[in-house]
Amino acid sequence: DAGITQSPRHKVTETGTPVTLRCHQTENHRYMYWYRQDPGHGLRLIHYSYGVKDTDKGEVSDGYSVSRSKTEDFLLTLESATSSQTSVYFCAISGARSGRAHEQYFGPGTRLTVT
Amino acid sequence: QQQVKQSPQSLIVQKGGISIINCAYENTAFDYFPWYQQFPGKGPALLIAIRPDVSEKKEGRFTISFNKSAKQFSLHIMDSQPGDSATYFCAAWANFGNEKLTFGTGTRLTIIP
C-alpha cells in the first residue's frame, strides 16, 4: 500500500458541469501524476506535479486543470465536463522512497461518467 | 505519436505455460523500463523493471528480456497461473528532465486451466 487514496471513487455528472477529483498521499512523495485510462489507449498522462505549486502538462491536458497547494493533495478539475472525458482516472505518486521519479505507485482510480 | 508499442493486445495461455508480451520503443534516451500489472477495478502495480545496461532481470516467475540494439523488451511469465490473469503494461522513462513515463497500450492476459 503506497498510502494513496482517490476521491470520489465513482461519479456520474452531466455535460457542462465542473468536476474535481482529489488525490491524497501520506508518504511525502514529491511527484504526483494524473492519468486517464481508456480502452486501446493504455494510460495517458494528463498533468503532473514536481512540487507544491509546480505543475506541468502531459499529453492529453486540454480541458483539464490541476492544483497542488500542499504536498499531500493533487486536484484534477474538469472545468466543463464533456462526454469525451468519460474515463477512469488514476493518480500516481513517486519520489519519497528512492528519490527517483520513475518508480510510480498508483491509486485505486476514479470512474467518471459524463452523460 | 506512440513511443512505446506493445503486443499482443490480448493473450490466452494455458496454465503452466509461458506468457510472453513484447514492447518496442523508438527513443534511445529511454533508460528505465518497468512493467505494471493491473487487476480489474484496481490501479496498476509496479511488477518488475530493468535498466538497459543488463539484458535480463528475473524476479520469481517473471523475467524481463532486453535487447538494446533492437530497441525491444519483453515480459516472460513462467509457469503461468490463473492468478496471473490481468492486464499488463510496459512503460519507458527518459531521464532528460521531464519526469514522465510513457506507457504501452496494454495486454490483457488470460490463463486458462
Side-chain angles (χ1 to χ4, degrees), chain A residues 9 31 33 35 37 40-43 45 48 50 57-59 90 100-109, chain B residues 1 9 32 34 36 38 41-46 51 87 89 93 97-106:
Chain A
R9 294 294 314 280
Y31 302 96
Y33 306 82
Y35 292 88
Q37 184 175 26
H41 292 278
L43 291 150
L45 183 65
Y48 69 105
Y50 46 95
K57 295 179 180 180
E59 61 179 307
F90 287 100
R100 298 192 293 266
H102 52 269
E103 292 183 3
Q104 294 186 14
Y105 301 92
F106 283 78
Chain B
Q1 181 184 358
Q9 207 170 8
Y32 173 78
Y36 283 80
Q38 184 181 28
K42 305 292 186 182
L46 181 61
R51 292 271 191 195
T87 299
F89 293 95
W93 171 278
N98 51 344
E99 294 83 3
K100 297 182 284 190
L101 275 174
T102 299
F103 284 87
T105 52

Side-chain angles (χ1 to χ4, degrees), chain A residues 33-59:
Chain A
Y33 306 82
W34 276 108
Y35 292 88
R36 61 178 289 173
Q37 184 175 26
D38 305 286
H41 292 278
L43 291 150
R44 293 182 292 174
L45 183 65
I46 304 171
H47 283 280
Y48 69 105
S49 170
Y50 46 95
V52 173
K53 292 193 167 85
D54 292 322
T55 64
D56 204 351
K57 295 179 180 180
E59 61 179 307

Side-chain angles (χ1 to χ4, degrees), chain B residues 36-74:
Chain B
Y36 283 80
Q37 179 188 55
Q38 184 181 28
F39 293 107
K42 305 292 186 182
L46 181 61
L47 182 63
I48 187 174
I50 196 168
R51 292 271 191 195
D53 52 347
V54 297
S55 60
E56 185 176 281
K57 183 173 181 180
K58 184 176 181 180
E59 290 185 3
R61 296 184 294 108
F62 300 89
T63 299
I64 299 178
S65 296
F66 188 85
N67 185 329
K68 188 173 182 178
S69 61
K71 294 187 285 186
Q72 295 175 347
F73 58 110
S74 59

Side-chain angles (χ1 to χ4, degrees), chain A residues 87-99:
Chain A
S87 185
V88 181
Y89 292 85
F90 287 100
C91 177
I93 54 178
S94 66
R97 297 180 183 178
S98 61

